[in-house]
Amino acid sequence: MQKIWLLLLLPLFALKAQAEIILVPHQTLATPTVYWEKPESKGVLIFMPGGSGSFNLTKKSNPQPSWVLRSLLQATPPKGGFDLVFMDSDLSLQGDFGDPWLRLAARRSSDHIDRMKTTIEFYAKKTKKPVYLIGHSNGAVSIAEFLNQSPSNQKMVAGVIFSASRNETDVKQPLDLPVLVMHHQNDPNRWTRFPDAEKLFDRIKKSNKGRTELSMVRGGQDEGGDPTHTGRHMYAGAVAETLSQASGSTTPFAGRWIRHLQGD
């Protein structure tokens, strides 16, 4: 298999990339997305954000990724690389009240899953390249529910990454594609516990004909803020670990994702 996993979380661009705001057509309101193109890229990486899923990124002038994605975007890539897509939402995908299952109902809705499908189809047609999904925190629920909706959905993507997934994340369909579950071993967020990520990995591995791997992040530190969107849950202080691992060191982060997708 060609080396694809190793490229997935390696730096995408050497300089700040020009963002392209694209409203992906939908049967109701268009889906807001931001697209950063990399010349001679090998695929497209679509990011499903956590939290409410609504960041109004498309309303900014030449928006740039934040968090780990920013470091990936600004660092120097090897030959090849991936285009990056941020799938935004005009409406919040997280309820303010109710139990955790009910609060995430919007991420299981047919409208949200259909938007994921049309976005994947749009960028696959636009770029004529394989599409990969990465979901962080609540965004991991979106990917799981996309896979759960229909066995045919997994055929639309070349691989998926569950990052700091919610405790409720569960894939119920048998799979046949590369899957990576990545989590900080000391994630302090009570909604994204590492033991639940291990259980998710075990369930997927039992029913996935493709390669399934668990990548455990050990570095970084907390920042004294809300653990749902700061500190180790967001890999604070572990970005260097991410990039050094991706370039071939022994630290346990992005490089394993990349080699995993490549089939090495």
Side-chain angles (χ1 to χ4, degrees), residues 17-77:
Q18 181 66 37
E20 183 178 358
I21 306 299
I22 298 179
L23 301 181
V24 177
H26 189 259
Q27 59 186 358
T28 55
L29 295 175
T31 303
T33 68
V34 185
Y35 174 56
W36 296 274
E37 183 179 9
K38 164 109 173 30
E40 302 181 4
S41 63
K42 303 300 183 183
V44 182
L45 182 62
I46 298 180
F47 177 66
M48 305 300 302
S52 69
S54 181
F55 291 83
N56 294 317
L57 206 60
T58 58
K59 296 178 173 60
K60 299 179 180 179
S61 176
N62 191 28
Q64 298 296 309
S66 59
W67 183 59
V68 170
L69 299 177
R70 178 178 61 240
S71 298
L72 297 175
L73 185 68
Q74 294 175 344
T76 302

Short mmCIF file of all heavy atoms in Angstrom, two decimals, residues 17-77:
data_model
loop_
_atom_site.label_atom_id
_atom_site.label_comp_id
_atom_site.label_asym_id
_atom_site.label_seq_id
_atom_site.Cartn_x
_atom_site.Cartn_y
_atom_site.Cartn_z
N ALA A 17 -1.39 29.48 4.09
CA ALA A 17 -2.12 29.17 2.87
C ALA A 17 -3.31 30.10 2.70
O ALA A 17 -3.91 30.55 3.67
CB ALA A 17 -2.60 27.72 2.90
N GLN A 18 -3.65 30.36 1.46
CA GLN A 18 -4.81 31.17 1.16
C GLN A 18 -6.05 30.32 1.32
O GLN A 18 -6.17 29.24 0.73
CB GLN A 18 -4.73 31.72 -0.27
CG GLN A 18 -5.90 32.60 -0.65
CD GLN A 18 -5.94 33.89 0.16
OE1 GLN A 18 -4.91 34.46 0.46
NE2 GLN A 18 -7.14 34.33 0.50
N ALA A 19 -6.98 30.77 2.13
CA ALA A 19 -8.20 30.03 2.37
C ALA A 19 -9.22 30.30 1.27
O ALA A 19 -9.34 31.42 0.77
CB ALA A 19 -8.79 30.42 3.72
N GLU A 20 -9.95 29.27 0.92
CA GLU A 20 -11.04 29.40 -0.03
C GLU A 20 -12.34 29.07 0.70
O GLU A 20 -12.51 27.96 1.20
CB GLU A 20 -10.85 28.47 -1.22
CG GLU A 20 -11.92 28.61 -2.28
CD GLU A 20 -11.69 27.70 -3.49
OE1 GLU A 20 -10.66 26.99 -3.51
OE2 GLU A 20 -12.55 27.71 -4.39
N ILE A 21 -13.22 30.04 0.81
CA ILE A 21 -14.52 29.83 1.45
C ILE A 21 -15.44 29.18 0.43
O ILE A 21 -15.70 29.74 -0.64
CB ILE A 21 -15.13 31.15 1.94
CG1 ILE A 21 -14.14 31.90 2.84
CG2 ILE A 21 -16.45 30.88 2.66
CD1 ILE A 21 -13.75 31.15 4.07
N ILE A 22 -15.94 28.00 0.75
CA ILE A 22 -16.82 27.29 -0.17
C ILE A 22 -18.09 26.89 0.57
O ILE A 22 -18.04 26.23 1.60
CB ILE A 22 -16.14 26.04 -0.74
CG1 ILE A 22 -14.89 26.43 -1.54
CG2 ILE A 22 -17.11 25.25 -1.61
CD1 ILE A 22 -14.15 25.25 -2.12
N LEU A 23 -19.22 27.31 0.03
CA LEU A 23 -20.52 26.91 0.55
C LEU A 23 -20.98 25.70 -0.25
O LEU A 23 -21.39 25.83 -1.41
CB LEU A 23 -21.52 28.06 0.45
CG LEU A 23 -21.13 29.35 1.19
CD1 LEU A 23 -22.22 30.42 1.02
CD2 LEU A 23 -20.88 29.09 2.67
N VAL A 24 -20.90 24.55 0.36
CA VAL A 24 -21.23 23.31 -0.34
C VAL A 24 -22.75 23.22 -0.50
O VAL A 24 -23.49 23.29 0.49
CB VAL A 24 -20.70 22.09 0.43
CG1 VAL A 24 -21.12 20.80 -0.25
CG2 VAL A 24 -19.18 22.17 0.54
N PRO A 25 -23.24 23.07 -1.73
CA PRO A 25 -24.69 23.01 -1.96
C PRO A 25 -25.35 21.90 -1.15
O PRO A 25 -24.81 20.81 -0.99
CB PRO A 25 -24.79 22.74 -3.46
CG PRO A 25 -23.51 23.26 -4.03
CD PRO A 25 -22.47 22.97 -2.98
N HIS A 26 -26.53 22.21 -0.65
CA HIS A 26 -27.33 21.26 0.11
C HIS A 26 -28.79 21.54 -0.21
O HIS A 26 -29.14 22.63 -0.66
CB HIS A 26 -27.07 21.39 1.62
CG HIS A 26 -27.68 20.30 2.44
ND1 HIS A 26 -28.84 20.48 3.15
CD2 HIS A 26 -27.30 19.02 2.66
CE1 HIS A 26 -29.14 19.36 3.79
NE2 HIS A 26 -28.23 18.46 3.50
N GLN A 27 -29.66 20.57 0.07
CA GLN A 27 -31.06 20.72 -0.30
C GLN A 27 -31.75 21.85 0.47
O GLN A 27 -32.76 22.38 0.02
CB GLN A 27 -31.80 19.41 -0.05
CG GLN A 27 -31.74 18.91 1.39
CD GLN A 27 -32.37 17.55 1.54
OE1 GLN A 27 -32.89 16.99 0.57
NE2 GLN A 27 -32.33 16.99 2.74
N THR A 28 -31.20 22.21 1.62
CA THR A 28 -31.75 23.37 2.35
C THR A 28 -30.69 24.47 2.29
O THR A 28 -30.41 25.00 1.23
CB THR A 28 -32.09 22.98 3.79
OG1 THR A 28 -30.94 22.42 4.43
CG2 THR A 28 -33.22 21.95 3.81
N LEU A 29 -30.12 24.84 3.42
CA LEU A 29 -29.05 25.83 3.43
C LEU A 29 -27.72 25.18 3.08
O LEU A 29 -27.46 24.04 3.46
CB LEU A 29 -28.97 26.50 4.81
CG LEU A 29 -30.17 27.34 5.25
CD1 LEU A 29 -29.97 27.83 6.68
CD2 LEU A 29 -30.38 28.52 4.31
N ALA A 30 -26.86 25.91 2.39
CA ALA A 30 -25.55 25.39 2.03
C ALA A 30 -24.71 25.14 3.28
O ALA A 30 -24.90 25.78 4.32
CB ALA A 30 -24.83 26.35 1.09
N THR A 31 -23.78 24.21 3.19
CA THR A 31 -22.89 23.89 4.29
C THR A 31 -21.61 24.72 4.18
O THR A 31 -20.90 24.64 3.18
CB THR A 31 -22.52 22.40 4.28
OG1 THR A 31 -23.71 21.61 4.33
CG2 THR A 31 -21.62 22.05 5.45
N PRO A 32 -21.29 25.54 5.19
CA PRO A 32 -20.09 26.37 5.13
C PRO A 32 -18.82 25.55 5.35
O PRO A 32 -18.73 24.78 6.32
CB PRO A 32 -20.30 27.38 6.27
CG PRO A 32 -21.17 26.66 7.25
CD PRO A 32 -22.06 25.77 6.43
N THR A 33 -17.86 25.69 4.47
CA THR A 33 -16.58 25.00 4.61
C THR A 33 -15.45 25.95 4.26
O THR A 33 -15.65 26.94 3.54
CB THR A 33 -16.48 23.76 3.70
OG1 THR A 33 -16.43 24.17 2.33
CG2 THR A 33 -17.65 22.81 3.91
N VAL A 34 -14.26 25.65 4.78
CA VAL A 34 -13.05 26.38 4.40
C VAL A 34 -12.08 25.37 3.82
O VAL A 34 -11.87 24.29 4.39
CB VAL A 34 -12.41 27.09 5.61
CG1 VAL A 34 -11.21 27.93 5.14
CG2 VAL A 34 -13.42 27.98 6.32
N TYR A 35 -11.48 25.72 2.69
CA TYR A 35 -10.62 24.80 1.95
C TYR A 35 -9.24 25.41 1.77
O TYR A 35 -9.09 26.54 1.31
CB TYR A 35 -11.26 24.52 0.59
CG TYR A 35 -10.43 23.69 -0.36
CD1 TYR A 35 -9.96 22.44 0.01
CD2 TYR A 35 -10.15 24.15 -1.65
CE1 TYR A 35 -9.21 21.66 -0.88
CE2 TYR A 35 -9.41 23.39 -2.54
CZ TYR A 35 -8.95 22.14 -2.16
OH TYR A 35 -8.23 21.38 -3.03
N TRP A 36 -8.22 24.65 2.18
CA TRP A 36 -6.83 25.05 1.96
C TRP A 36 -6.20 24.01 1.04
O TRP A 36 -6.05 22.84 1.40
CB TRP A 36 -6.06 25.11 3.27
CG TRP A 36 -6.56 26.15 4.22
CD1 TRP A 36 -6.22 27.47 4.27
CD2 TRP A 36 -7.50 25.96 5.29
NE1 TRP A 36 -6.88 28.11 5.29
CE2 TRP A 36 -7.67 27.21 5.94
CE3 TRP A 36 -8.21 24.86 5.76
CZ2 TRP A 36 -8.52 27.37 7.02
CZ3 TRP A 36 -9.06 25.02 6.83
CH2 TRP A 36 -9.20 26.27 7.46
N GLU A 37 -5.82 24.44 -0.15
CA GLU A 37 -5.29 23.52 -1.15
C GLU A 37 -3.78 23.43 -1.08
O GLU A 37 -3.08 24.43 -0.88
CB GLU A 37 -5.71 23.98 -2.55
CG GLU A 37 -5.27 23.04 -3.66
CD GLU A 37 -5.72 23.51 -5.02
OE1 GLU A 37 -6.21 24.65 -5.13
OE2 GLU A 37 -5.57 22.74 -5.99
N LYS A 38 -3.26 22.23 -1.25
CA LYS A 38 -1.83 21.99 -1.30
C LYS A 38 -1.47 21.46 -2.69
O LYS A 38 -1.99 20.45 -3.12
CB LYS A 38 -1.43 20.96 -0.26
CG LYS A 38 -0.04 20.38 -0.50
CD LYS A 38 0.92 20.84 0.48
CE LYS A 38 2.28 20.18 0.39
NZ LYS A 38 2.74 19.74 -0.91
N PRO A 39 -0.60 22.13 -3.41
CA PRO A 39 -0.20 21.65 -4.73
C PRO A 39 0.35 20.23 -4.65
O PRO A 39 1.09 19.87 -3.74
CB PRO A 39 0.89 22.64 -5.16
CG PRO A 39 0.57 23.89 -4.39
CD PRO A 39 0.04 23.41 -3.07
N GLU A 40 -0.04 19.40 -5.61
CA GLU A 40 0.42 18.02 -5.70
C GLU A 40 0.06 17.19 -4.47
O GLU A 40 0.77 16.25 -4.11
CB GLU A 40 1.93 17.96 -5.96
CG GLU A 40 2.37 18.69 -7.22
CD GLU A 40 3.86 18.59 -7.46
OE1 GLU A 40 4.55 17.88 -6.68
OE2 GLU A 40 4.34 19.22 -8.41
N SER A 41 -1.04 17.54 -3.83
CA SER A 41 -1.47 16.78 -2.66
C SER A 41 -1.92 15.38 -3.05
O SER A 41 -2.27 15.12 -4.21
CB SER A 41 -2.61 17.51 -1.94
OG SER A 41 -3.74 17.61 -2.79
N LYS A 42 -1.92 14.47 -2.08
CA LYS A 42 -2.28 13.08 -2.31
C LYS A 42 -3.70 12.75 -1.88
O LYS A 42 -4.19 11.66 -2.14
CB LYS A 42 -1.30 12.17 -1.56
CG LYS A 42 0.16 12.38 -1.95
CD LYS A 42 0.39 12.12 -3.41
CE LYS A 42 1.87 12.28 -3.75
NZ LYS A 42 2.12 12.08 -5.20
N GLY A 43 -4.35 13.68 -1.20
CA GLY A 43 -5.70 13.42 -0.72
C GLY A 43 -6.26 14.64 -0.04
O GLY A 43 -5.63 15.70 0.00
N VAL A 44 -7.47 14.49 0.49
CA VAL A 44 -8.16 15.58 1.18
C VAL A 44 -8.51 15.13 2.59
O VAL A 44 -9.09 14.05 2.78
CB VAL A 44 -9.46 15.97 0.44
CG1 VAL A 44 -10.13 17.15 1.13
CG2 VAL A 44 -9.16 16.31 -1.02
N LEU A 45 -8.15 15.93 3.58
CA LEU A 45 -8.44 15.64 4.97
C LEU A 45 -9.54 16.59 5.44
O LEU A 45 -9.34 17.80 5.50
CB LEU A 45 -7.18 15.83 5.82
CG LEU A 45 -7.26 15.53 7.31
CD1 LEU A 45 -7.60 14.06 7.53
CD2 LEU A 45 -5.96 15.89 7.99
N ILE A 46 -10.72 16.05 5.74
CA ILE A 46 -11.84 16.86 6.21
C ILE A 46 -11.91 16.78 7.73
O ILE A 46 -12.01 15.70 8.30
CB ILE A 46 -13.17 16.39 5.60
CG1 ILE A 46 -13.13 16.54 4.07
CG2 ILE A 46 -14.34 17.19 6.17
CD1 ILE A 46 -14.40 16.10 3.37
N PHE A 47 -11.87 17.94 8.37
CA PHE A 47 -11.87 18.02 9.83
C PHE A 47 -13.27 18.31 10.34
O PHE A 47 -13.90 19.30 9.94
CB PHE A 47 -10.91 19.12 10.29
CG PHE A 47 -10.90 19.32 11.79
CD1 PHE A 47 -10.42 18.32 12.62
CD2 PHE A 47 -11.36 20.50 12.35
CE1 PHE A 47 -10.40 18.50 14.00
CE2 PHE A 47 -11.34 20.69 13.72
CZ PHE A 47 -10.87 19.68 14.55
N MET A 48 -13.74 17.44 11.24
CA MET A 48 -15.02 17.64 11.92
C MET A 48 -14.72 18.17 13.32
O MET A 48 -14.22 17.45 14.18
CB MET A 48 -15.78 16.31 12.03
CG MET A 48 -16.01 15.60 10.70
SD MET A 48 -16.96 16.60 9.55
CE MET A 48 -18.45 16.89 10.50
N PRO A 49 -15.00 19.46 13.57
CA PRO A 49 -14.63 20.05 14.86
C PRO A 49 -15.51 19.57 16.00
O PRO A 49 -16.64 19.10 15.80
CB PRO A 49 -14.82 21.55 14.61
CG PRO A 49 -15.89 21.62 13.57
CD PRO A 49 -15.64 20.42 12.67
N GLY A 50 -14.99 19.71 17.20
CA GLY A 50 -15.74 19.35 18.40
C GLY A 50 -16.59 20.50 18.89
O GLY A 50 -16.97 21.39 18.13
N GLY A 51 -16.87 20.50 20.19
CA GLY A 51 -17.71 21.55 20.76
C GLY A 51 -19.06 21.61 20.09
O GLY A 51 -19.70 20.59 19.81
N SER A 52 -19.51 22.83 19.80
CA SER A 52 -20.80 23.03 19.15
C SER A 52 -20.74 22.75 17.66
O SER A 52 -21.77 22.66 17.00
CB SER A 52 -21.28 24.47 19.37
OG SER A 52 -20.46 25.38 18.65
N GLY A 53 -19.53 22.64 17.11
CA GLY A 53 -19.38 22.44 15.68
C GLY A 53 -19.60 23.69 14.86
O GLY A 53 -19.48 23.68 13.64
N SER A 54 -19.92 24.81 15.54
CA SER A 54 -20.22 26.07 14.86
C SER A 54 -19.17 27.11 15.27
O SER A 54 -19.17 27.58 16.41
CB SER A 54 -21.63 26.57 15.23
OG SER A 54 -21.93 27.77 14.57
N PHE A 55 -18.27 27.46 14.34
CA PHE A 55 -17.17 28.36 14.65
C PHE A 55 -17.15 29.62 13.79
O PHE A 55 -16.27 30.46 13.94
CB PHE A 55 -15.84 27.61 14.50
CG PHE A 55 -15.63 26.57 15.56
CD1 PHE A 55 -16.18 25.30 15.43
CD2 PHE A 55 -14.89 26.85 16.70
CE1 PHE A 55 -16.01 24.34 16.41
CE2 PHE A 55 -14.70 25.89 17.68
CZ PHE A 55 -15.26 24.64 17.54
N ASN A 56 -18.10 29.75 12.85
CA ASN A 56 -18.20 30.93 11.99
C ASN A 56 -16.88 31.22 11.27
O ASN A 56 -16.55 32.38 11.02
CB ASN A 56 -18.64 32.16 12.80
CG ASN A 56 -20.05 32.03 13.32
OD1 ASN A 56 -20.95 31.58 12.61
ND2 ASN A 56 -20.26 32.39 14.58
N LEU A 57 -16.13 30.18 10.96
CA LEU A 57 -14.84 30.37 10.32
C LEU A 57 -14.99 30.97 8.92
O LEU A 57 -14.12 31.71 8.46
CB LEU A 57 -14.12 29.03 10.23
CG LEU A 57 -12.58 29.07 10.19
CD1 LEU A 57 -12.04 29.75 11.44
CD2 LEU A 57 -12.01 27.66 10.07
N THR A 58 -16.09 30.66 8.26
CA THR A 58 -16.28 31.15 6.90
C THR A 58 -16.60 32.64 6.86
O THR A 58 -16.60 33.23 5.78
CB THR A 58 -17.42 30.38 6.20
OG1 THR A 58 -18.62 30.52 6.96
CG2 THR A 58 -17.07 28.90 6.08
N LYS A 59 -16.87 33.23 8.00
CA LYS A 59 -17.18 34.66 8.05
C LYS A 59 -15.94 35.51 8.30
O LYS A 59 -16.03 36.74 8.38
CB LYS A 59 -18.24 34.93 9.11
CG LYS A 59 -19.59 34.27 8.81
CD LYS A 59 -20.60 34.53 9.92
CE LYS A 59 -21.98 34.02 9.53
NZ LYS A 59 -22.00 32.57 9.26
N LYS A 60 -14.78 34.86 8.42
CA LYS A 60 -13.53 35.58 8.65
C LYS A 60 -12.80 35.80 7.33
O LYS A 60 -13.00 35.07 6.36
CB LYS A 60 -12.64 34.80 9.62
CG LYS A 60 -13.27 34.60 10.99
CD LYS A 60 -12.36 33.80 11.91
CE LYS A 60 -12.99 33.61 13.29
NZ LYS A 60 -12.12 32.82 14.19
N SER A 61 -11.96 36.82 7.32
CA SER A 61 -11.16 37.11 6.14
C SER A 61 -9.91 36.23 6.13
O SER A 61 -9.11 36.26 7.06
CB SER A 61 -10.76 38.59 6.13
OG SER A 61 -9.91 38.88 5.04
N ASN A 62 -9.76 35.43 5.08
CA ASN A 62 -8.66 34.48 4.95
C ASN A 62 -8.42 33.72 6.26
O ASN A 62 -7.35 33.81 6.88
CB ASN A 62 -7.36 35.18 4.52
CG ASN A 62 -6.28 34.18 4.12
OD1 ASN A 62 -6.58 33.08 3.67
ND2 ASN A 62 -5.02 34.57 4.30
N PRO A 63 -9.39 32.96 6.72
CA PRO A 63 -9.24 32.23 7.99
C PRO A 63 -8.12 31.21 7.92
O PRO A 63 -7.85 30.62 6.87
CB PRO A 63 -10.61 31.56 8.16
CG PRO A 63 -11.12 31.41 6.76
CD PRO A 63 -10.65 32.64 6.04
N GLN A 64 -7.47 30.98 9.06
CA GLN A 64 -6.42 29.98 9.18
C GLN A 64 -6.79 29.00 10.29
O GLN A 64 -7.44 29.38 11.26
CB GLN A 64 -5.07 30.64 9.49
CG GLN A 64 -4.59 31.59 8.40
CD GLN A 64 -4.32 30.88 7.10
OE1 GLN A 64 -3.61 29.87 7.06
NE2 GLN A 64 -4.86 31.39 6.00
N PRO A 65 -6.39 27.76 10.17
CA PRO A 65 -6.73 26.77 11.21
C PRO A 65 -6.10 27.14 12.54
O PRO A 65 -5.04 27.75 12.61
CB PRO A 65 -6.13 25.48 10.66
CG PRO A 65 -5.96 25.71 9.21
CD PRO A 65 -5.66 27.15 9.06
N SER A 66 -6.78 26.75 13.60
CA SER A 66 -6.23 26.91 14.94
C SER A 66 -5.80 25.53 15.44
O SER A 66 -5.86 24.54 14.72
CB SER A 66 -7.29 27.51 15.88
OG SER A 66 -8.43 26.68 15.93
N TRP A 67 -5.32 25.51 16.69
CA TRP A 67 -5.01 24.23 17.35
C TRP A 67 -3.90 23.50 16.59
O TRP A 67 -3.03 24.10 15.98
CB TRP A 67 -6.31 23.42 17.47
CG TRP A 67 -6.21 22.11 18.17
CD1 TRP A 67 -5.79 21.87 19.43
CD2 TRP A 67 -6.55 20.85 17.61
NE1 TRP A 67 -5.87 20.52 19.70
CE2 TRP A 67 -6.34 19.87 18.60
CE3 TRP A 67 -7.04 20.45 16.36
CZ2 TRP A 67 -6.58 18.53 18.40
CZ3 TRP A 67 -7.28 19.11 16.16
CH2 TRP A 67 -7.05 18.16 17.17
N VAL A 68 -3.87 22.20 16.66
CA VAL A 68 -2.84 21.40 16.00
C VAL A 68 -2.85 21.63 14.49
O VAL A 68 -1.81 21.63 13.84
CB VAL A 68 -3.02 19.90 16.31
CG1 VAL A 68 -2.12 19.04 15.45
CG2 VAL A 68 -2.76 19.63 17.78
N LEU A 69 -4.03 21.88 13.94
CA LEU A 69 -4.13 22.08 12.50
C LEU A 69 -3.32 23.27 12.04
O LEU A 69 -2.80 23.28 10.92
CB LEU A 69 -5.60 22.25 12.11
CG LEU A 69 -6.51 21.06 12.41
CD1 LEU A 69 -7.95 21.41 12.05
CD2 LEU A 69 -6.06 19.82 11.67
N ARG A 70 -3.21 24.30 12.88
CA ARG A 70 -2.42 25.47 12.51
C ARG A 70 -0.95 25.10 12.34
O ARG A 70 -0.29 25.51 11.38
CB ARG A 70 -2.55 26.57 13.57
CG ARG A 70 -1.70 27.81 13.25
CD ARG A 70 -1.88 28.89 14.30
NE ARG A 70 -1.47 28.44 15.62
CZ ARG A 70 -2.30 28.40 16.67
NH1 ARG A 70 -3.56 28.78 16.55
NH2 ARG A 70 -1.86 27.98 17.84
N SER A 71 -0.44 24.30 13.29
CA SER A 71 0.95 23.89 13.20
C SER A 71 1.20 23.02 11.96
O SER A 71 2.23 23.13 11.30
CB SER A 71 1.35 23.12 14.46
OG SER A 71 1.24 23.94 15.60
N LEU A 72 0.25 22.17 11.65
CA LEU A 72 0.38 21.35 10.47
C LEU A 72 0.37 22.20 9.21
O LEU A 72 1.10 21.95 8.26
CB LEU A 72 -0.76 20.33 10.41
CG LEU A 72 -0.82 19.32 11.54
CD1 LEU A 72 -2.05 18.45 11.42
CD2 LEU A 72 0.43 18.46 11.56
N LEU A 73 -0.46 23.22 9.22
CA LEU A 73 -0.59 24.08 8.04
C LEU A 73 0.66 24.90 7.80
O LEU A 73 1.06 25.12 6.66
CB LEU A 73 -1.79 25.02 8.23
CG LEU A 73 -2.16 25.91 7.03
CD1 LEU A 73 -2.69 25.08 5.89
CD2 LEU A 73 -3.19 26.94 7.45
N GLN A 74 1.32 25.34 8.88
CA GLN A 74 2.43 26.27 8.75
C GLN A 74 3.79 25.61 8.65
O GLN A 74 4.77 26.24 8.31
CB GLN A 74 2.43 27.25 9.94
CG GLN A 74 1.22 28.16 9.96
CD GLN A 74 1.17 29.03 11.20
OE1 GLN A 74 1.85 28.77 12.19
NE2 GLN A 74 0.36 30.06 11.15
N ALA A 75 3.84 24.32 8.96
CA ALA A 75 5.14 23.65 8.94
C ALA A 75 5.51 23.21 7.52
O ALA A 75 4.70 23.22 6.62
CB ALA A 75 5.10 22.43 9.86
N THR A 76 6.78 22.86 7.35
CA THR A 76 7.26 22.47 6.04
C THR A 76 6.92 21.01 5.76
O THR A 76 7.27 20.13 6.54
CB THR A 76 8.78 22.66 5.96
OG1 THR A 76 9.07 24.03 6.23
CG2 THR A 76 9.29 22.30 4.58
N PRO A 77 6.28 20.72 4.64
CA PRO A 77 5.88 19.35 4.35
C PRO A 77 6.94 18.57 3.60
O PRO A 77 7.83 19.14 3.00
CB PRO A 77 4.67 19.55 3.44
CG PRO A 77 5.03 20.78 2.67
CD PRO A 77 5.81 21.66 3.64
#
